[in-house]
Amino acid sequence: MVYFPVLFQESEESDNFGGVAILAGRNLICIPTPVRDVSGVTVVDISYNSLKMLNGIHQYERVEELILDNNRLSQLCLPPLPHLKTLSINNNNLQDLARILGNLEISVPQLTYLSMLSNPLCPNELMSGDEDDYQMYRFTVIKQLEKSQVPGLATSDPQRARRFTEAHRILRCKAAHFSQLP
């Protein structure tokens, strides 16, 4: 087991000793075992490290905000984190969108904010793809997570839902058209 000093900050906004665990920029290759009780930690920042897997994240069972930006993650397999609302996993090496979304549906039922920018699975105009590719990606994420009733991503407005479905159909048709070009 790896023990590593973690910078903890008690949250001033919480009466239940909610706090922040900051493990950012420490060149970690694994999530260290905390040297103190982390049951009240609600924010975990493990960005700017060298993580390839998330073994040990289960220790932060009450986490509401998890920041995993700028690591070396190629897959995302989260344990059940029933309180997680914000997940930022930008600038990693994530590639399998369907598998990741399937895991998120099961593991993080309270998710309201998800950011996966600068990963191979997220098209952008600078690296690969165009605006249509990005919109298709975005609609796929929203549609998949809507099925699991993710509260922040639901389209409760029927008119908005119809526009969303029509836009998704148009982008699918465009994608099919372009894939048939020589």
Side-chain angles (χ1 to χ4, degrees), residues 105 140-150 153-155:
E105 279 185 287
T140 300
V141 170
I142 292 170
K143 190 105 173 142
Q144 180 73 28
L145 294 180
E146 268 185 338
K147 290 181 200 172
S148 63
Q149 301 300 313
V150 174
L153 298 174
T155 55

Side-chain angles (χ1 to χ4, degrees), residues 71-137:
N71 276 288
R72 295 182 181 167
L73 298 169
S74 58
Q75 59 184 353
L76 184 70
C77 188
L78 291 173
L81 296 172
H83 305 284
L84 189 66
K85 295 176 184 165
T86 300
L87 177 59
S88 181
I89 46 178
N90 299 312
N91 200 24
N92 278 281
N93 192 30
L94 300 174
Q95 299 180 32
D96 191 342
L97 183 60
R99 177 180 247 164
I100 289 169
L101 294 177
N103 175 251
L104 293 177
E105 279 185 287
I106 296 166
S107 301
V108 291
Q110 297 300 315
L111 190 68
T112 57
Y113 178 83
L114 172 64
S115 183
M116 298 189 289
L117 299 173
S118 296
N119 280 290
L121 61 71
C122 178
N124 66 64
E125 293 179 39
L126 295 176
M127 303 297 279
S128 65
D130 58 15
E131 182 62 24
D132 286 347
D133 292 332
Y134 175 74
Q135 289 302 325
M136 179 67 117
Y137 152 83

Side-chain angles (χ1 to χ4, degrees), residues 28-31 46 50-57 68 71-78 92:
L28 299 174
I29 57 171
C30 64
I31 297 172
I46 316 176
S50 298
L51 298 178
K52 291 183 179 180
M53 296 187 331
L54 294 175
N55 296 349
I57 198 66
L68 299 167
N71 276 288
R72 295 182 181 167
L73 298 169
S74 58
Q75 59 184 353
L76 184 70
C77 188
L78 291 173
N92 278 281

Side-chain angles (χ1 to χ4, degrees), residues 8-21 36-43 62-64:
F8 289 95
Q9 295 177 323
E10 296 299 328
S11 173
E12 297 173 9
E13 301 172 6
S14 177
D15 294 333
N16 65 354
F17 304 107
V20 179
R36 71 172 253 194
D37 179 23
V38 295
S39 62
V41 171
T42 56
V43 177
R62 305 231 8 117
V63 66
E64 295 176 11

